Amino acid sequence: KGGPALRAFVPQFQTTFVKALQDQSRQVRLESIAALGLLMPLSTRVDPLLKELVAGSLGRSGEQIAAVQMATLEALAVVLSKGGGKAKQPDSVPSALSASQELVFEHADEGVREAAAKVMGAACAILGEETTTDVLNRILDASGDYDDSNADIRHGKACAC
């Protein structure tokens, strides 16, 4: 509701909403994702937020932690789709793509794999056709890297495509 008048407070809001992604309540996490999306038109510095969300999406396991990881990935996908074009550091968006590629095949939770696929899609939309083609070729040719008899890996490939 405040529009441009809130621009000065965007960094504090981003910090608050990123912390809210860790909340035990699913509703709080969902509202946090939506709020981060609403802040993107006002945000001028997207790179630190992308870096923080990428770091938050990696290196976790467990059922409750998988829910937090999924929320972090969903938030990363929203930030990339609504503000990823503002990223100025050359490695910000590719690092999100790389993190999502690891998770889409290797994570045990299907919700995390689906959220990682959303991040892949948003990152590929920013990085362009050549990168998207490379990613898809890697996914389709990944039969040697991953055991196709594993249902989780097949699910990850399907989500990524």
Side-chain angles (χ1 to χ4, degrees), residues 98-155:
S98 176
S100 65
Q101 285 178 315
E102 291 175 27
L103 293 170
V104 79
F105 292 120
E106 298 173 6
H107 204 280
D109 185 82
E110 83 177 45
V112 172
R113 289 193 303 270
E114 291 169 3
K118 290 178 186 178
V119 172
M120 285 178 68
C124 285
I126 295 166
L127 294 172
E129 185 178 333
E130 185 176 323
T131 302
T132 303
T133 303
D134 289 345
V135 168
L136 284 173
N137 286 334
R138 238 179 288 138
I139 291 166
L140 297 174
D141 293 340
S143 57
D145 297 338
Y146 299 102
D147 180 15
D148 280 340
S149 65
N150 184 331
D152 290 348
I153 292 174
R154 288 193 313 271
H155 178 256

Side-chain angles (χ1 to χ4, degrees), residues 5-17:
L6 295 176
R7 191 175 303 262
F9 302 103
V10 167
Q12 291 90 340
F13 286 137
Q14 285 178 347
T15 301
T16 300
F17 296 138

